[in-house]
Amino acid sequence: MKDPCDHYTFDLIGGVAKKPGRKPLGERAMTVAERKRRSRELRRNRLQELSVTVELSRDAQKSLDKMIEWWGVSKKEAINRALMIACQSQTGRTGSLFELELGMALPAKASRRKAPR
């Protein structure tokens, strides 16, 4: 006969009484601190995969400000739209999207000095 307080011993007639809750990931259940640490690490990894940090030139910043004003959206949305438009405009020419063609020369930097009149 089985002890009524024993919830872990296999019962040949009725099966096994399962413990409530999710099964632990390892040998034992995680503590609250371990679970939170794991959650923060997973969230940090997801955010790092999705985020990009860039430095814009003044001209690019002015253009971005104009797009924000025209579209009435946030910086993030304006950048997303601009990138999508740029990619769509390259349809059929995706081979040259990321490569310089041999005949193309890199643009020269403009001099800061004004030309004499």
Side-chain angles (χ1 to χ4, degrees), residues 3-4 15-16 23 26 30 36 45 55 60 64 78 82 87 92 101 109:
D3 183 11
V16 177
K23 293 182 181 178
M30 288 189 284
K36 187 63 180 179
N45 290 340
E55 292 182 16
L64 180 61
C87 284
E101 294 179 7
K109 287 191 174 183

Side-chain angles (χ1 to χ4, degrees), residues 67-86:
M67 284 188 280
I68 291 168
E69 184 180 332
W70 289 335
W71 292 329
V73 295
S74 66
K75 280 186 180 182
K76 177 182 174 181
E77 182 61 27
I79 292 169
N80 285 337
R81 284 187 189 184
L83 287 173
M84 294 302 292
I85 290 169

Side-chain angles (χ1 to χ4, degrees), residues 83-103:
L83 287 173
M84 294 302 292
I85 290 169
C87 284
Q88 289 170 357
S89 71
Q90 292 294 324
T91 304
R93 296 182 284 152
T94 55
S96 64
L97 181 60
F98 299 108
E99 299 173 358
L100 287 175
E101 294 179 7
L102 297 177

Side-chain angles (χ1 to χ4, degrees), residues 43-57:
R43 184 179 42 179
R44 192 177 309 117
N45 290 340
R46 272 191 305 249
L47 290 176
Q48 285 177 352
E49 291 174 7
L50 299 175
S51 67
V52 176
T53 304
V54 295
E55 292 182 16
L56 298 176
S57 66

